Amino acid sequence: MMKHHLACIAAALSLAACSAEPPANATDPQAARPVGSIGGVDPAGNTARPVTSTRGLPDTPAPHDAPELLPMVQADFADKNLLGSGCSFHATPGGPVLLLLRDEGDGLVHFNKAKRRITAATPGREAVANGGIMAGDKVSFTLDHAAGPGEPTSGSTRVWPATLTMRTNDGGERIYRDGRWECGS
């Protein structure tokens, strides 16, 4: 019985090996013709643009300005148990805090008359200091700052020139250029 199974397997393997012979020359015109093709393959492809239907797709909202970030004070962070070391974004040097992010990766922003929690994509002191991506309920932020160790200010605090981009889930965007990313204890 075992010999019969081995013979069947050997026969199947030999047929499979013989049925797919490659062309002798890669530039041979027959090489471009798939099995069963009469006219070969059109090397240029179809140059006509395909018809695209948008029926059934959700409407994409038109781009618009995201709401403005509102200033926050120390009491806002204390109310949400967000005191401690971390980083904050200021639109101007010495200006009010518009975004706060603790080293643990949790933070706070204020817009549309509500304070909203955000979370860093990568928590940790170094990751938070490097900026990156933060998100919360229906909003995301990307913070980019100048390369290097930052300028020391007071104690263990460092500051970098930075840009904060805010995006809302309805297509809104607001960019804060020439801001400051301040990190410390």
Side-chain angles (χ1 to χ4, degrees):
M1 184 73 158
M2 180 79 148
K3 277 186 167 180
H4 178 64
H5 286 298
L6 289 175
C8 288
I9 293 172
L13 289 174
S14 66
L15 281 175
C18 294
S19 65
E21 234 178 271
N25 182 349
T27 59
D28 183 4
Q30 295 295 326
R33 293 185 188 193
V35 175
S37 173
I38 297 174
V41 176
D42 180 7
N46 185 356
T47 58
R49 292 196 173 256
V51 176
T52 304
S53 172
T54 58
R55 191 169 51 196
L57 295 176
D59 291 335
T60 303
H64 60 279
D65 288 340
E68 284 190 52
L69 291 176
L70 301 172
M72 295 181 289
V73 295
Q74 191 76 13
D76 295 326
F77 313 131
D79 289 346
K80 302 286 186 184
N81 292 324
L82 292 172
L83 297 176
S85 66
C87 299
S88 57
F89 180 80
H90 307 260
T92 59
V97 173
L98 297 182
L99 180 146
L100 174 87
L101 193 61
R102 290 189 327 150
D103 290 344
E104 290 82 358
D106 55 337
L108 193 68
V109 293
H110 185 191
F111 65 93
N112 283 348
K113 300 179 185 177
K115 292 176 186 75
R116 301 164 194 260
R117 287 196 173 264
I118 58 172
T119 305
T122 308
R125 179 178 281 249
E126 188 175 326
V128 168
N130 286 334
I133 299 171
M134 297 140 272
D137 185 29
K138 301 179 182 179
V139 66
S140 67
F141 297 90
T142 305
L143 187 121
D144 294 307
H145 70 66
E151 300 170 26
T153 56
S154 61
S156 64
T157 303
R158 297 197 161 277
V159 66
W160 292 263
T163 298
L164 179 68
T165 303
M166 173 185 183
R167 291 188 180 91
T168 57
N169 69 333
D170 64 354
E173 182 177 86
R174 183 169 299 274
I175 300 173
Y176 294 88
R177 290 182 175 81
D178 303 321
R180 310 291 280 173
W181 187 236
E182 187 175 308
C183 300
S185 301

